[in-house]
Amino acid sequence: MEQVGSVAGEMPVNNSSPRYHQIADELRGQIANGELPPGSQLPAEHDLMDRYAVSRNTVRLALKRLVDEGLLVAGQGRGTFVRERYEPITWDWSVLESRSAHTPANRGLDQWAAAVTATGRQPRQDVSVSIVTPPAKVAEQLNMDPVADVAVLRRRIRSIDQEPYQLADSYFPVDLVQGTPLMEPRDVAAPGGVLASLGLVQVRYHDEITVRMPTRAEIDRLSLPAATPVAEHMRTGYDENDRPLRVMVTILPGDRHVLTYDVSAE
Amino acid sequence: MEQVGSVAGEMPVNNSSPRYHQIADELRGQIANGELPPGSQLPAEHDLMDRYAVSRNTVRLALKRLVDEGLLVAGQGRGTFVRERYEPITWDWSVLESRSAHTPANRGLDQWAAAVTATGRQPRQDVSVSIVTPPAKVAEQLNMDPVADVAVLRRRIRSIDQEPYQLADSYFPVDLVQGTPLMEPRDVAAPGGVLASLGLVQVRYHDEITVRMPTRAEIDRLSLPAATPVAEHMRTGYDENDRPLRVMVTILPGDRHVLTYDVSAE
DNA sequence: AAGTGGTCTAGACCACTAA
DNA sequence: TAGTGGTCTAGACCACTTT
């Protein structure tokens, strides 16, 4: 088990960047200049070993680097491919649900589904409902006791054209939604929002946005490629008496979303 | 070079997750439950090899996984440490500069410096001014010709207690700020904002937020640890005639910022 | 069955940091 | 100078996908 650098005596290695950086740089260049277009397959690792005269491990380090930069995706048994770019969807968060457009075409769709449909793509939501002790941050927003109180959790995976796009978890105080359609694990919608149709009108939102790396669970649920950060958007909705009605936590992968807000002097 | 799984005959490995996933899971758990608090040093890779009875490569795969999740930082010759978390500063983007509080204590401070000072910490801004061809997205917001037109760029590195915190680049149409204090490479402030003091009042903002991994240049300027995503916040300010006055691009590292917005039915 | 990437071993030398 | 992580080799078996 000899180190090739000293055996081959080719170069002192000193002063230059590591070999797998160089290989990654070269491949990155080929991706950038279109020599390796999105969707194309790279040579097998075995071939790259020959081409660069390095061990398989070094090839894998180089590829891992590009996977981490979000440029490649690798699949066991399939091969390594240049990553295809998502078309990001732009989402305007400064629109109140109660004021969003409700054309006939939007009937039966919530705000998100309507926005996606408008781009000619196919939205889909998988919903599950449960009663949980909410996370501390959510309990605080809802003025709940973080230990004793429970909330209704509507958990959604939102997909576009069969590809998972975002996670949206809504928490409601139990007494507000008990026995309503919101307790049913299916896609529900109503003009102005389902809450509004129950007489619970949100007149004000408070939003908090944080940026972080996804958790393992989020990576799995959203099939996220490596090196994809997420925005965590937490929106609390209040009625006209400043009573919190709902907290919605949305997980938005950075590679497929743009958030916008419009702010004006009232 | 034998594969230990078959030699030791311990287990068929089948059906279970890979060893380095398991090791990463265990370490992640110790970080989560406080057994490995932020800032603490992990055992050396050599020690982890002994503890888990695996090769160094497998240990490194496990550690790399946690580095990629932003939980660990490793330094050559120093060791591997549980990452310290910054105290995030909360920044309310739904306040118009022209309406922000201007108490006597805030005199001479801009909105950002005032917010930092309020938390008892020491803000600092390093400013440079130049005339540049703006990026395409900025030119579009300013209704400029993306090739021919130039803009004044005020580039700031904002630091708190000597630690770089964010980058804020403001672009102005040249004719608006020619010969004003905004052309001077120093920290300037005025009640209601410097633009307002020039008779240029922003009555409306349009914000676009994207989430991504930082570029190499941003990593260097902000001394970002690995696996730190950033929010890129682009704000365009308009006057009462819907004329764009300014585009400000802020780069906010995810580990030290929370963004908030308040949205209401006017 | 062939080919691909995924996991893992056992060892070596290098580069950096701190005592 | 001792100890740490960073780079690299040479080889093996496993799991998955495609033909």
Side-chain angles (χ1 to χ4, degrees), chain B residues 111-126:
Chain B
Q111 209 172 1
W112 179 78
V116 172
T117 303
T119 70
R121 289 185 280 179
Q122 189 63 44
R124 170 180 163 168
Q125 306 199 49
D126 294 304

Side-chain angles (χ1 to χ4, degrees), chain B residues 124-132 151-158 167-172 181-188 221:
Chain B
R124 170 180 163 168
Q125 306 199 49
D126 294 304
V127 184
S128 68
V129 176
S130 54
I131 296 185
V132 300
V152 171
L153 166 59
R154 276 180 69 84
R155 187 156 239 217
R156 284 166 293 183
I157 300 182
R158 290 171 158 172
L167 307 175
D169 292 350
S170 285
Y171 297 85
F172 304 92
L182 283 171
M183 295 292 288
E184 301 165 21
R186 58 182 182 83
D187 206 350
V188 291
R221 292 178 73 196

Side-chain angles (χ1 to χ4, degrees), chain A residues 1 4 18-20 54-58 76-78:
Chain A
M1 230 52 53
V4 127
R19 195 78 184 90
Y20 76 94
V54 295
S55 74
R56 176 151 176 239
N57 212 322
T58 301
Q76 191 173 31
R78 287 180 42 245

Side-chain angles (χ1 to χ4, degrees), chain A residues 116-228:
Chain A
V116 172
T117 303
T119 69
R121 290 184 282 179
Q122 189 64 43
R124 169 179 164 170
Q125 307 198 47
D126 293 304
V127 184
S128 69
V129 176
S130 55
I131 295 186
V132 300
T133 302
K137 276 176 69 171
V138 171
E140 182 188 337
Q141 294 293 319
L142 291 175
N143 297 331
M144 298 174 78
D145 182 313
V147 187
D149 288 348
V150 294
V152 171
L153 166 59
R154 275 181 71 84
R155 187 158 240 218
R156 284 166 292 184
I157 299 181
R158 291 171 159 171
S159 306
I160 298 181
D161 294 343
Q162 316 306 330
E163 298 258 20
Y165 238 71
Q166 59 177 231
L167 306 176
D169 291 351
S170 285
Y171 297 85
F172 304 93
V174 174
D175 52 314
L176 292 185
V177 299
Q178 192 72 264
T180 73
L182 283 171
M183 296 292 288
E184 301 165 22
R186 60 183 182 81
D187 207 349
V188 291
V194 176
L195 271 183
S197 71
L198 301 174
L200 301 167
V201 179
Q202 301 170 86
V203 301
R204 180 170 77 77
Y205 297 137
H206 174 71
D207 292 356
E208 287 192 19
I209 304 163
T210 56
V211 176
R212 57 174 173 77
M213 297 312 285
T215 64
R216 275 294 141 202
E218 289 161 353
I219 290 172
D220 294 339
R221 291 178 72 197
L222 288 167
S223 323
L224 293 181
T228 304

